Amino acid sequence: LAGPAHVDVGLAGTVMRFVPPVAGLADGQVTFDGDPYVRTRPLGPLVGALRSLGVRIDVTGSGSLPLTVLGTGRVAGGEVVIDASASSQLVSGLLLAAPRFDRGVVVRHVGPPVPSAPHLRMTVRMLRAAGAAVDDSTPDVWAVEPGPLTGRGWDVEPDLSGAVPFFAAALVTGGEVTLQGWPHSSAQPVEQLRSLLQRMGGEVTLSTNGLTVRGTGVVHGLTADLSDVGELTLVLTALAMLADSPSVFTGVGHIRGHETDRLAALAREFGGLGADITETPDGLEIRPRPLRGGVFRTYHDHRMAHAAAVAGLAVPGIEVDDVGCTSKTMPEFPALWSAMVTGKS
């Protein structure tokens, strides 16, 4: 790895948190910047952790982007304490690069619970599959030993977060959607999703054909802690708007620091369509009532577009201002959605 180099992270939290630890191993400068909003996303704890592990970093501004990693070709590593309550990616970014650090790394989280815990289990699983020695037996502590990683072929699971709007469509319409190729043993939080969709009125089955969700003709509201599955909040909110009873979602204050302040954006945009929705410090309260059509702004956030698409199945006249933002994770989303709705591929 050699600098100089520049990384435009766009709005991607994974890039802004996974790549700087690797850049510490480069020989030369690597600068990072992105969309103006990304400069407000939580990054300070990672910067502090990398500095304590021996990485030189110049930061312009308040501790987030833009920044420059002054790589020397090696990172000392060692033990570090971090508050990762804003994002599990703060831990994953350190762990993924740690096998190349001279002394590996021991990461200790101190603070409120780390959100999206399944993503940390996925990180550990992937590291072990590549030959890394990882000890996560102590809660909130992850130790990665230094050592070589082994190249191999990977069977990559379908993306659960990307599939959720299509599953939600089955609930809204009383139809059926199958995601082919779903593994019987998954690293993703499929059981949490199964429970949530079942409680909201869906039927979820796993067979040799894949993961299937069937609608029953009714959507129920629910009270749920979504801290482990924060990415699902936006589509579940759209479902809750169409339910037969109120919903309360908690445990997702951290998604205020995602591509946009997702709680504020959901309240603002669905409120503009006539919804009775209230922000709380860590979630949303939703009291269903009839919605009207109108322009639904995405704030360049792909999950906001997914939520609007789901609501639009039941509410005529909803217009998404920027469906192109879905290209971040699924460039073919508009075509796939249209084919599902019209039955024409």
Side-chain angles (χ1 to χ4, degrees):
L1 299 175
H6 174 72
V7 178
D8 182 351
V9 309
L11 269 173
T14 46
V15 178
M16 69 182 286
R17 297 178 184 128
F18 286 12
V19 182
V22 176
L25 296 163
D27 187 5
Q29 297 186 17
V30 182
T31 61
F32 294 83
D33 202 359
D35 184 277
Y37 182 80
V38 84
R39 296 179 179 182
T40 69
R41 299 190 68 178
L43 188 63
L46 179 64
V47 172
L50 287 172
R51 283 172 169 166
S52 70
L53 294 172
V55 180
R56 291 178 57 206
I57 301 177
D58 285 345
V59 178
T60 303
S62 61
S64 188
L65 299 182
L67 62 79
T68 300
V69 176
L70 306 171
T72 61
R74 56 178 295 188
V75 175
E79 186 168 334
V80 65
V81 176
I82 187 172
D83 179 353
S85 58
S87 174
S88 63
Q89 294 172 354
L90 298 168
V91 174
S92 291
L94 292 169
L95 302 185
L96 290 169
R100 290 285 303 276
F101 295 172
D102 293 349
R103 292 186 289 149
V105 76
V106 177
V107 179
R108 298 182 184 275
H109 163 68
V110 176
V114 181
S116 304
H119 289 86
L120 289 172
R121 294 193 289 272
M122 292 165 64
T123 298
V124 170
R125 176 172 170 172
M126 293 294 284
L127 280 166
R128 287 174 175 158
V134 186
D135 182 355
D136 64 344
S137 59
T138 302
D140 290 333
V141 179
W142 301 265
V144 181
E145 297 292 331
L149 299 179
T150 303
R152 51 162 289 180
W154 299 91
D155 290 326
V156 179
E157 296 181 9
D159 175 42
L160 195 61
S161 297
V164 165
F166 296 91
F167 290 150
L171 269 68
V172 173
T173 63
E176 177 179 311
V177 171
T178 297
L179 176 61
Q180 296 180 340
W182 192 264
H184 280 266
S185 177
S186 175
Q188 299 181 75
V190 66
E191 289 306 316
Q192 290 99 315
L193 175 65
R194 178 195 298 265
S195 173
L196 289 164
L197 292 181
Q198 287 176 335
R199 291 170 61 192
M200 297 193 85
E203 297 176 352
V204 186
T205 57
L206 179 61
S207 68
T208 54
N209 292 328
L211 189 65
T212 299
V213 176
R214 298 180 183 87
T216 57
V218 63
V219 179
H220 303 305
L222 78 167
T223 296
D225 179 346
L226 302 180
S227 56
D228 276 356
V229 289
E231 283 289 309
L232 308 187
T233 303
L234 293 85
V235 166
L236 294 181
T237 297
L239 282 175
M241 295 290 165
L242 309 173
D244 61 0
S245 59
S247 294
V248 177
F249 298 142
T250 60
V252 287
H254 63 284
I255 72 172
R256 293 186 182 279
H258 283 194
E259 282 82 344
T260 186
D261 179 338
R262 285 176 163 173
L263 298 181
L266 287 166
R268 184 181 305 116
E269 296 310 307
F270 277 118
L273 302 181
D276 184 355
I277 178 172
T278 303
E279 291 181 66
T280 66
D282 73 335
L284 295 166
E285 297 176 353
I286 300 151
R287 293 159 290 277
R289 66 186 188 188
L291 301 180
R292 58 179 176 268
V295 176
F296 191 100
R297 292 175 295 173
T298 64
Y299 307 92
H300 310 294
D301 185 343
H302 53 156
R303 306 296 183 207
M304 287 290 289
H306 293 165
V310 171
L313 293 173
V315 182
I318 292 181
E319 299 179 13
V320 181
D321 75 333
D322 177 24
V323 73
C325 68
T326 57
S327 63
K328 175 181 177 181
T329 48
M330 194 186 304
E332 64 273 29
F333 177 80
L336 290 171
W337 193 262
S338 178
M340 178 188 69
V341 171
T342 64
K344 300 176 181 178
S345 58

